[in-house]
Amino acid sequence: AVLAFALSTTGASIQCLSVNRSEITGNALKAIRHHCPRLNRLDISDCHDITEQAIIETIMHMPQLKVVQMRYCRGITTQMQLYVAQLLAGRSLGIDTTPP
């Protein structure tokens, strides 16, 4: 129900979305990227079908995203969680992470 709401026309105004403990997939994250352009907080904690590739693609395609919670996601290693935290911290500090 939450995902359907986000993918509706209302999704364009959503800034914070929690889909924790759901069966969301990388394809659903891709749809969220396209339908929720103002999203700056995303909680995918305890979602086991999310891959590291899907989370990186989401972060790279959503420069306005500042916070991603992903505790207990089996498909995302601790190292990747730390990497994502560094990327997002750089955004919060205003550090330019775009390639030259």
Side-chain angles (χ1 to χ4, degrees):
V2 172
L3 186 57
F5 179 72
L7 299 181
S8 71
T9 55
T10 308
S13 62
I14 294 175
Q15 295 183 11
C16 180
L17 179 63
S18 177
V19 289
N20 62 328
R21 297 184 181 170
S22 70
E23 294 181 14
I24 190 172
T25 64
N27 285 335
L29 277 183
K30 189 175 193 177
I32 288 170
R33 288 199 303 259
H34 295 292
H35 292 281
C36 303
R38 299 178 129 189
L39 192 67
N40 59 42
R41 294 182 66 92
L42 177 63
D43 184 356
I44 56 167
S45 297
D46 214 12
C47 293
H48 304 298
D49 294 327
I50 300 292
T51 64
E52 292 182 344
Q53 182 67 32
I55 194 65
I56 287 297
E57 287 174 2
T58 298
I59 290 168
M60 297 316 247
H61 285 92
M62 298 185 82
Q64 74 287 0
L65 199 58
K66 303 287 188 223
V67 176
V68 177
Q69 294 178 328
M70 56 188 136
R71 292 175 299 230
Y72 312 117
C73 293
R74 291 183 199 143
I76 302 174
T77 63
T78 302
Q79 291 85 359
M80 181 57 72
Q81 290 180 22
L82 292 172
Y83 177 69
V84 167
Q86 289 175 334
L87 284 175
L88 297 175
R91 288 180 181 178
S92 295
L93 294 171
I95 298 170
D96 186 8
T97 58
T98 55

